[in-house]
């Protein structure tokens, strides 16, 4: 009997520009763009393997799928799967680590350069005819900030955080980090600091840490009060790292200069999310991971995860 393989929410990873052939070869593949909670059991019934990006796989769902042997995560984060329940049923849960680091780093600096240089705003002004009408060869709608010489604080020195540090150093920025690593474990251009220094010294603060119980609302009123009024916060990690109401108030009251977020606490956001209307808040719809190269790597590694499991030596297991 041919294996049934089900992708529950494939649209974000592959809206149609890539091929699922790398998974197709392992059995009969069923791909759904999106799956509601009510549709999970119907679609996953009889499946040998399921893949999920953000669809929540609970213990009850796992118990209701006796033929299920493998759960693949089309992402790095796996908080949407009850990994303990999967382990109890002998089902490996395999994620895709470090597939989008360069893509995320690119988004960090895309946001930073947009905020400090306001390229889009000036390009739109030129397109509207303002330069043609200008009496001067050059005009500026807002001050341009030079990032060389600024201090960037990095929270989370994993693969992404280390790459952010490397690029920031190349730009001529001073790099500090709030990290559990020892100074001797860090490159010479990264200086370890304590929490108060981290917030008070950072001109730019980049969040690159996974979300856990200990760092929920890491950015809050208390830490925002420590920051410079010219400071910029960039979050490409997890929305739960930020108290969104506190950040919105800080922006609206000009306690900090700007924020750029690619992630929110609820996605898609609710209409009353305070950051949607906050001053100088630049929001992108969780796109940092979606470069073509990153998504191709995601699908390739997902197929390798399934192949390794079928061969008897699973890789990238998060519930060993």
């Amino acid at each position: 009997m041919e294996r049934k393989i089900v992708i529950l929410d494939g649209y974000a990873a592959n809206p149609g520009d890539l091929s699922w052939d790398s998974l197709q070869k392992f059995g009969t593949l069923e791909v759904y763009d999106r799956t509601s909670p009510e549709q999970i059991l119907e679609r996953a019934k009889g499946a040998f393997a399921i893949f999920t990006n953000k669809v929540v796989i609970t213990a009850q769902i796992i118990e209701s799928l006796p033929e299920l042997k493998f759960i693949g995560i089309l992402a790095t984060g796996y908080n949407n799967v009850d990994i303990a329940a999967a382990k109890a049923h002998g089902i490996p849960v395999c994620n895709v680590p470090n597939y989008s680091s360069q893509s995320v780093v690119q988004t960090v600096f895309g946001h930073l350069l947009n905020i400090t240089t306001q390229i889009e705003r000036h390009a739109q002004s030129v397109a509207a005819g303002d330069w043609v009408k200008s009496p001067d060869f050059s005009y500026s709608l807002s001050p341009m900030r030079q990032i060389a010489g600024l201090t960037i604080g990095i929270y989370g020195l994993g693969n992404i955080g280390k790459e952010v540090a490397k690029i920031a150093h190349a730009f001529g920025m001073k790099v500090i980090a709030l990290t559990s690593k020892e100074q001797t474990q860090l490159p010479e251009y990264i200086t370890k600091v304590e929490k108060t220094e981290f917030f008070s010294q950072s001109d730019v603060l980049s969040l690159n840490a996974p979300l856990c119980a200990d760092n929920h609302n890491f950015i809050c009123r208390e830490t925002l009060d420590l920051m410079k009024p010219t400071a910029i916060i960039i979050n490409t990690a997890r929305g739960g790292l930020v108290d969104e109401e506190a950040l919105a108030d800080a922006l609206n009251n000009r306690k900090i200069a700007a924020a750029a977020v690619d992630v929110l606490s609820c996605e898609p956001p609710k209409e009353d999310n305070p950051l949607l209307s906050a001053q100088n808040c630049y929001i992108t719809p969780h796109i940092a991971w979606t470069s073509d190269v990153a998504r191709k790597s995601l699908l390739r590694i997902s197929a390798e995860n399934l192949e390794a499991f079928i061969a008897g030596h699973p890789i990238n297991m998060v519930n060993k």
Side-chain angles (χ1 to χ4, degrees):
M1 184 176 177
E2 194 167 26
R3 304 181 188 97
K4 177 181 176 180
I5 302 165
V6 179
I7 298 170
L8 294 169
D9 53 342
Y11 183 82
N14 181 11
D17 59 334
L18 302 178
S19 170
W20 293 110
D21 287 352
S22 59
L23 285 168
Q24 182 82 55
K25 64 184 180 180
F26 298 113
T28 301
L29 183 65
E30 297 180 8
V31 180
Y32 298 97
D33 286 344
R34 303 165 190 86
T35 296
S36 69
E38 297 76 23
Q39 295 172 315
I40 297 172
L41 288 180
E42 174 192 349
R43 293 179 172 181
K45 183 179 180 181
F48 169 82
I50 61 174
F51 285 85
T52 174
N53 189 322
K54 293 294 181 286
V55 171
V56 176
I57 308 299
T58 64
Q60 183 179 4
I61 289 171
I62 292 169
E63 290 168 3
S64 301
L65 298 172
E67 297 178 58
L68 185 63
K69 304 300 181 186
F70 176 89
I71 298 174
I73 309 289
L74 294 170
T76 301
Y78 48 88
N79 57 300
N80 57 317
V81 175
D82 190 324
I83 60 172
K87 182 177 181 179
H89 285 77
I91 301 171
V93 179
C94 300
N95 73 338
V96 183
N98 196 28
Y99 71 95
S100 63
S101 295
Q102 298 300 331
S103 180
V104 175
V105 172
Q106 178 175 314
T107 303
V108 170
F109 286 95
H111 272 300
L112 178 57
L113 293 171
N114 178 57
I115 290 172
T116 54
T117 312
Q118 294 287 301
I119 289 175
E120 181 182 13
R121 183 182 181 190
H122 286 85
Q124 289 175 342
S125 172
V126 172
D130 295 342
W131 200 9
V132 172
K133 301 171 188 175
S134 175
D136 303 305
F137 81 95
S138 172
Y139 69 93
S140 179
L141 300 174
S142 58
M144 177 178 170
R145 293 182 68 182
Q146 177 176 293
I147 64 173
L150 296 183
T151 296
I152 184 170
I154 299 175
Y155 176 60
L157 277 180
N159 292 316
I160 294 172
K162 287 186 287 188
E163 286 299 314
V164 171
K166 186 186 300 183
I167 300 301
H169 176 63
F171 267 117
M173 303 180 79
K174 178 183 177 182
V175 183
I176 61 175
L178 185 62
T179 177
S180 59
K181 294 181 172 68
E182 297 298 327
Q183 182 64 57
T184 54
Q185 297 176 281
L186 305 179
E188 52 84 21
Y189 55 81
I190 301 178
T191 301
K192 176 177 178 173
V193 296
E194 298 303 318
K195 188 173 183 179
T196 298
E197 295 175 284
F198 179 74
F199 283 100
S200 63
Q201 293 181 12
S202 293
D203 296 298
V204 180
L205 194 157
S206 180
L207 301 179
N208 304 109
L211 179 64
C212 62
D214 294 337
N215 63 12
H216 182 258
N217 285 350
F218 175 72
I219 301 295
C220 59
R221 296 185 191 280
E222 179 184 359
T223 52
L224 286 162
D225 284 344
L226 297 172
M227 299 190 73
K228 302 176 183 180
T230 54
I232 299 165
I233 292 175
I234 302 173
N235 185 14
T236 55
R238 287 292 182 264
L241 293 170
V242 175
D243 179 335
E244 292 168 342
E245 186 174 347
L247 178 56
D249 287 346
L251 290 165
N252 292 331
N253 293 317
R254 300 184 180 180
K255 288 187 175 181
I256 66 169
V261 298
D262 188 57
V263 288
L264 293 171
S265 59
C266 177
E267 299 172 347
K270 297 178 180 178
E271 292 182 359
D272 61 353
N273 187 303
L275 291 181
L276 295 176
S277 57
Q279 295 181 27
N280 297 324
C281 188
Y282 301 82
I283 303 174
T284 46
H286 206 145
I287 59 169
W289 65 282
T290 63
S291 72
D292 54 349
V293 172
R295 290 184 297 111
K296 286 176 183 176
S297 294
L298 174 67
L299 299 193
R300 175 181 55 79
I301 297 170
S302 294
E304 290 172 356
N305 286 347
L306 181 56
E307 183 174 29
F309 167 69
I310 292 171
H313 49 85
I315 58 175
N316 295 321
M317 279 183 63
V318 298
N319 63 336
K320 294 181 181 179

